[in-house]
Every structure is written in C-alpha cells, then in structure tokens.
Amino acid sequence: MSANLRAIRRSYEGFRTRDVEALLSAMHPDVEWVHPDGMAKYGLGGTKHGHAGIKEFLAHVPTVLGGMRLEPREFIEQGDRIVVFGTREVTSRRGTTVTLDFVHSWTMRDGRATRMEDIFDTVAFHELIES
C-alpha cells in the first residue's frame, strides 16, 4: 500500500473515531476542503482552507446534522490522485437517518492531501436536513 493511500485511510479512521488530529494528520497545512456550493444555505458549502478551516467546518456540522458515519468502500489510486467511493449514514437533527452515496477526490503531495473534494447529491441532503 502506498504512503498516499495509508494517509487517506488514516484520515477516514480519524473521522470514524472522531479524532480530529488523526484526520488532519493526512492533510497538508494549507489543504483545500471542498464541498458543493449547493450546501451553502446550511453553512456547509464552498472551500475551507487549512487545518483551521476544517476544524471550523467540523465544529459547524453538529448545528445542522444529528450525526454522520462514513463508510469508504473503494479506493482508486492514480498518480497523485485517490478517488474514494462510499456511503455515508446521515442523521438529521430530528432523528431521521438515510444512507447517501459519496465520491471523495483527494489530491496528494508528499504523502499529504492538498485538496479533498466531496461530491454527493445535494438535493437528497437538503431533503434530509429539512425533514
């Protein structure tokens, strides 16, 4: 397994255990953390910069959602890019839980992520948040 893939797997493990420092250990200090602009209505869209931006984003998520669990299922590595296909179990603040697909596109440099783009169905996410 490559150093890049080990770093990304470590990041998902950090997310699973709610260990923000483990999650960030795979990230370059000036990483770009990108979510669909369609989530801006909830303060979850756009690009966050650096570890501080990610921490701020993660601190905001519980004000919008009741919980989230990621299940990465397939990792594809090509050069400095890792693409992850998976599902996320998302719970609304009212307790409704749905499973939604995601694609994460990671760009790596020297064993750390310089960019992570989260791609998912924003309409389904809106419906969950508003349910």
Side-chain angles (χ1 to χ4, degrees), residues 44-118:
L44 300 176
T47 302
K48 312 304 183 246
H49 297 277
H51 290 191
I54 293 172
K55 286 179 180 179
E56 183 179 305
F57 174 84
L58 293 173
H60 178 69
V61 170
T63 69
V64 179
L65 297 172
M68 184 182 319
R69 196 176 58 159
L70 296 179
E71 184 66 40
R73 299 200 184 266
E74 183 179 0
F75 295 79
I76 299 172
E77 184 174 16
Q78 180 68 43
D80 66 353
R81 178 71 53 97
I82 296 174
V83 177
V84 180
F85 295 89
T87 59
R88 71 175 112 222
E89 186 177 277
V90 187
T91 303
S92 72
R93 304 259 309 148
R94 293 187 184 98
T96 302
T97 300
V98 298
T99 300
L100 302 171
D101 294 329
F102 71 79
V103 177
H104 288 164
S105 174
W106 299 85
T107 304
M108 307 296 290
R109 185 176 72 229
D110 301 323
R112 295 170 90 182
T114 58
R115 180 179 172 89
M116 188 287 291
E117 185 172 358
D118 191 358

